[in-house]
């Protein structure tokens, strides 16, 4: 990734070496900077130095600040300032930087901001707003391996609006069926989509439907502890005494929890088997 980033900066430097620094307005009305070759070189140097320092260090931020004094319209630099702060759970510090990234390149960073608000800062209403804007302006898409509709569904789950959550999770499922027509249903639709669709039905009292979705999730992620647990809960709600055995099995496979990349930083919605749950820690 580091080499790729530096390559982009080198190409930018070569392409712009004969131009003066001026403000330009792109087709979508966002102002961008045209840099001289010298300025592009200095930005590249500051970025290189920032990656030579610890990501969460003050020095990392200062080198990015130096690059931004040259090109304050560079959305990627603003995102790079925001990301370590969100991962350190310093959401209020990272928020204005991420907003700057969206301001200067909404097509690239609007959906990313919606994701960060959903999973990191838990700003669910704003997350919904940003994803709905992204859908309107750019169409349904994917960010961080999932559909926009998936994250909107999670936002509504966390707002206890379970019917709306199910509505968007069904849209996410159908979108993936359309995008991956040659895959089996359990493969075409991400296992977490099936899991959260099951959660929505569980909260709505549709326990048979919930079990069906949990089973689809378990077909892809064998012994997925969170799905095992809520399947057991659903069975118990239906009066099936075997539900307790499924819940017990879930705790036996407690390590098989949500394995998204960002789960090392944040607890995902309805993630029972996470690092703060004392009941699943080794005795």
């Amino acid at each position: 990734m580091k080499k790729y980033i530096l390559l982009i900066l080198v190409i930018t430097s070569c392409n712009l070496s004969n131009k003066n620094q001026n403000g330009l307005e792109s087709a979508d009305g966002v102002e961008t900077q045209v840099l001289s070759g010298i300025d592009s070189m200095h930005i590249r140097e500051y970025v290189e130095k920032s990656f030579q320092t610890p990501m969460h260090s003050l020095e990392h931020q200062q080198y990015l600040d130096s690059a931004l004094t040259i090109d304050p319209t560079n959305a990627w630099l603003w995102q790079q300032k925001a990301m370590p702060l969100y991962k350190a759970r310093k959401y209020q510090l990272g928020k204005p930087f991420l907003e700057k990234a969206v301001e200067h390149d909404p097509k690239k960073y609007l959906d990313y901001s919606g994701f960060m608000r959903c999973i990191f800062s838990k700003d669910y209403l704003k997350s919904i707003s940003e994803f709905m804007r992204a859908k309107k302006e750019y169409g349904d898409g994917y960010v961080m391996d999932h559909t926009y509709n998936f994250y909107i569904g999670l936002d509504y789950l966390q707002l206890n609006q379970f019917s709306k959550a199910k509505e968007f999770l069904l849209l996410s499922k159908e979108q993936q069926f359309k995008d991956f027509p040659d895959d089996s249903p359990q493969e075409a639709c991400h296992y977490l989509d099936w899991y959260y669709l099951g959660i929505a039905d569980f909260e709505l009292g549709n326990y048979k439907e919930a079990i069906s979705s949990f089973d689809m999730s378990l077909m892809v992620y064998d012994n997925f502890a969170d799905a095992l647990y809520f399947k057991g809960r659903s069975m118990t709600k239906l009066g099936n005494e075997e539900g307790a055995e499924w819940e017990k099995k879930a705790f036996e496979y407690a390590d098989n929890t949500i394995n998204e990349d960002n789960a090392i930083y944040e607890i995902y919605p309805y993630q029972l088997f996470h690092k703060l749950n004392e009941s699943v820690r080794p005795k």
Side-chain angles (χ1 to χ4, degrees):
M1 174 61 102
K2 179 179 176 182
K3 291 182 178 179
Y4 174 72
I5 291 166
L6 296 179
L7 178 61
I8 292 175
L9 291 170
V10 170
I11 293 172
T12 302
S13 175
C14 292
N15 288 342
L16 301 177
S17 60
N18 295 322
K19 297 183 179 180
N20 295 321
Q21 182 173 332
N22 292 298
L24 293 182
E25 191 171 287
S26 65
D28 56 5
V30 177
E31 184 180 354
T32 58
Q33 290 286 108
V34 176
L35 304 177
S36 69
I38 292 176
D39 282 341
S40 294
M41 180 186 67
H42 286 319
I43 289 177
R44 183 169 69 250
E45 290 173 350
Y46 287 133
V47 170
E48 288 175 354
K49 290 178 180 178
S50 75
F51 279 101
Q52 292 168 4
T53 63
M55 182 177 66
H56 298 292
S57 68
L58 180 61
E59 290 82 2
H60 183 84
Q61 291 284 335
Q62 289 172 334
Y63 282 124
L64 294 174
D65 286 339
S66 296
L68 282 163
T69 60
I70 300 172
D71 184 5
T73 70
N74 189 312
W76 179 80
L77 289 172
W78 288 112
Q79 184 270 338
Q80 288 293 299
K81 279 185 64 66
M83 178 263 296
L85 294 168
Y86 274 85
K87 289 182 176 180
R89 291 175 291 282
K90 297 181 179 181
Y91 310 125
Q92 292 302 311
L93 293 179
K95 177 181 175 181
F97 301 141
L98 189 53
E99 289 176 345
K100 280 287 189 180
V102 174
E103 174 187 338
H104 292 298
D105 194 347
K107 188 172 183 179
K108 184 173 182 179
Y109 290 110
L110 180 61
D111 57 4
Y112 176 78
S113 178
F115 157 77
M116 295 295 280
R117 292 181 189 276
C118 176
I119 300 301
F120 281 79
S121 59
K122 284 52 170 174
D123 189 357
Y124 301 118
L125 289 174
K126 185 64 175 179
S127 174
I128 292 169
S129 175
E130 290 187 328
F131 276 120
M132 294 301 287
R133 177 188 163 192
K135 282 163 62 72
K136 180 180 179 180
E137 296 184 9
Y138 310 115
D140 281 318
Y142 294 78
V143 60
M144 304 302 288
D145 300 324
H146 296 282
T147 68
Y148 298 171
N149 292 313
F150 169 83
Y151 291 110
I152 296 172
L154 266 59
D155 289 325
Y156 278 120
L157 277 178
Q158 295 300 88
L159 294 170
N160 282 356
Q161 297 186 41
F162 304 120
S163 293
K164 293 292 290 184
K166 182 175 180 178
E167 173 188 338
F168 281 94
L169 288 166
L170 286 173
L171 286 175
S172 179
K173 181 182 77 170
E174 294 304 319
Q175 180 180 343
Q176 292 171 86
F177 282 174
K178 180 180 178 180
D179 291 343
F180 307 102
D182 297 330
D183 292 343
S184 60
Q186 69 270 21
E187 293 283 353
C189 183
H190 196 283
Y191 83 87
L192 277 183
D193 280 78
W194 288 116
Y195 173 67
Y196 285 116
L197 186 56
I199 291 294
D201 273 319
F202 175 84
E203 293 285 19
L204 290 167
N206 303 328
Y207 302 119
K208 289 184 179 179
E209 293 180 49
I211 290 171
S212 178
S213 291
F214 293 137
D215 281 340
M216 294 293 277
S217 183
L218 288 162
M219 289 178 69
V220 176
Y221 188 172
D222 190 37
N223 292 320
F224 174 21
D226 302 84
L228 291 172
Y229 176 81
F230 280 103
K231 177 180 178 177
R233 288 280 308 278
S234 299
M235 294 172 69
T236 300
K237 291 285 189 179
L238 291 171
N240 188 333
E241 295 180 357
E242 293 182 8
E245 292 301 315
W246 285 89
E247 292 181 44
K248 181 180 178 181
K249 183 179 179 181
F251 282 88
E252 293 173 359
Y253 288 95
D255 289 339
N256 291 7
T257 187
I258 292 172
N259 55 14
E260 297 286 281
D261 290 344
N262 289 291
I264 64 174
Y265 303 108
E266 296 290 337
I267 296 170
Y268 272 61
Y270 289 84
Q271 183 182 3
L272 177 66
F273 297 97
H274 53 74
K275 55 186 176 293
L276 299 182
N277 187 342
E278 293 184 1
S279 67
V280 301
R281 294 179 186 174
K283 302 299 182 182

